[in-house]
Amino acid sequence: MIPLILFLETLFDAVILPIIYGLTYRIIFHGSMVTDHYMLYLNIYKILSIFVILILNHYLFSQKLYLKPNFSEFGWQIFIFICLLIVVVSLKTKYFWTALDVGIIAALPEEIMFRGVILGWILEKITRFKQTYVNVSIALGISGVVFGCFHYINLLHQSFGFTTLQVMNAVGLGMILGAIYVKSGSLLIPIATHFIWDFVVTLKNGMPETSYMAINGQDIFMECIVLAIQASIAIWIVCFHFENNLLLQKIEKK
């Protein structure tokens, strides 16, 4: 099922959506795409991508997206407040609007698909008989690898070595985001985490540029260490007070 949804999503992304948003773009601007309007072009694509993911989920997975947070937990409320505070104090910075846009259009479709649909589906299958930290860790690992490997689509404008480093980082980040979803029981929290991560990175550097930089063995070794640290953090999050993983509680009651 997971390879099928990835194949269909890639097919829609690479073939069908370019036709749709290309036509939409030409209707709006009465002509072909120009560099100045690239962000609008990207936004049209991402919005359509969200609809595609929701449609595929409806017909293939029928996976429930757990959005409602636990209002008795104050930790997530503090975190959301901090995220909003970071956004507000960054209002007058050079790349603010670009960072805000990139954060939103990156976080929403990716979290819906990889945490909401794929991780949620794996968790329901793998914990059907018993919920253990081993099963949950395996689910985090699988969904993290799927999330990371999906970034190989960036080979269209990056070198293989640089993209591989990006994939490895995405695997670890995906596991942490998945652990946050498992612990909080609300998809809104990893969405906020993903958003603020991309927001801050873009706020500092602007839009990412094409990279064909050479990668050496030391770069790979250091990224392996970072990945091990990220995976350890993710596993610690779900193992710490394992009985308080709110997503598992919701799955059990389903």
Side-chain angles (χ1 to χ4, degrees):
M1 290 294 290
I2 293 176
L4 178 61
I5 193 173
L6 290 175
F7 170 76
L8 290 174
E9 169 67 10
T10 304
L11 177 65
F12 274 96
D13 283 354
V15 180
I16 298 175
L17 288 187
I19 296 174
I20 296 174
Y21 64 63
L23 290 173
T24 305
Y25 191 91
R26 289 183 177 88
I27 290 172
I28 294 174
F29 292 103
H30 308 290
S32 59
M33 184 180 114
V34 292
T35 305
D36 290 345
H37 297 137
Y38 172 73
M39 286 304 297
L40 177 58
Y41 192 85
L42 184 61
N43 275 267
I44 294 171
Y45 163 75
K46 288 293 186 177
I47 292 170
L48 291 173
S49 183
I50 291 173
F51 283 107
V52 169
I53 293 167
L54 293 175
I55 292 170
L56 290 177
N57 178 48
H58 177 74
Y59 287 104
L60 293 180
F61 284 78
S62 299
Q63 177 59 44
K64 182 178 179 180
L65 303 178
Y66 298 94
L67 296 171
K68 185 179 180 180
N70 186 341
F71 290 100
S72 63
E73 297 287 336
F74 291 100
W76 70 267
Q77 299 179 48
I78 296 172
F79 173 70
I80 295 296
F81 173 77
I82 292 173
C83 290
L84 292 175
L85 187 62
I86 292 173
V87 172
V88 170
V89 298
S90 306
L91 188 58
K92 294 185 177 181
T93 56
K94 179 180 179 180
Y95 297 115
F96 174 79
W97 293 109
T98 300
L100 185 67
D101 194 18
V102 169
I104 293 172
I105 64 176
L108 281 176
E110 292 183 6
E111 291 311 303
I112 291 172
M113 179 171 179
F114 291 101
R115 256 60 66 185
V117 177
I118 292 179
L119 176 59
W121 184 80
I122 295 173
L123 277 174
E124 288 194 1
K125 299 301 179 184
I126 204 169
T127 62
R128 178 179 299 174
F129 302 105
K130 189 175 182 181
Q131 294 182 349
T132 67
Y133 69 89
V134 174
N135 288 343
V136 176
S137 298
I138 292 173
L140 289 179
I142 295 173
S143 63
V145 169
V146 173
F147 176 61
C149 289
F150 197 71
H151 284 71
Y152 271 120
I153 195 172
N154 292 335
L155 283 172
L156 294 172
H157 54 83
Q158 293 178 171
S159 66
F160 178 79
F162 185 83
T163 304
T164 297
L165 289 182
Q166 194 176 60
V167 166
M168 293 173 68
N169 184 66
V171 171
L173 180 61
M175 291 184 67
I176 292 176
L177 290 169
I180 292 171
Y181 184 33
V182 173
K183 181 63 72 177
S184 67
S186 171
L187 189 59
L188 297 178
I189 313 306
I191 286 176
T193 307
H194 194 152
F195 161 77
I196 203 64
W197 174 273
D198 285 335
F199 175 81
V200 171
V201 170
T202 308
L203 196 67
K204 179 182 178 182
N205 304 318
M207 278 292 291
E209 299 179 357
T210 299
S211 178
Y212 289 93
M213 61 182 291
I215 301 299
N216 56 43
Q218 183 178 356
D219 294 325
I220 297 293
F221 177 74
M222 291 303 297
E223 190 57 46
C224 286
I225 294 177
V226 172
L227 175 56
I229 294 172
Q230 291 173 318
S232 299
I233 292 173
I235 294 172
W236 177 83
I237 291 173
V238 297
C239 290
F240 183 73
H241 293 302
F242 184 78
E243 68 281 0
N244 292 334
N245 287 316
L246 300 184
L247 180 60
L248 299 183
Q249 297 176 17
K250 292 181 178 182
I251 291 174
E252 193 173 25
K253 294 176 182 178
K254 184 179 177 182

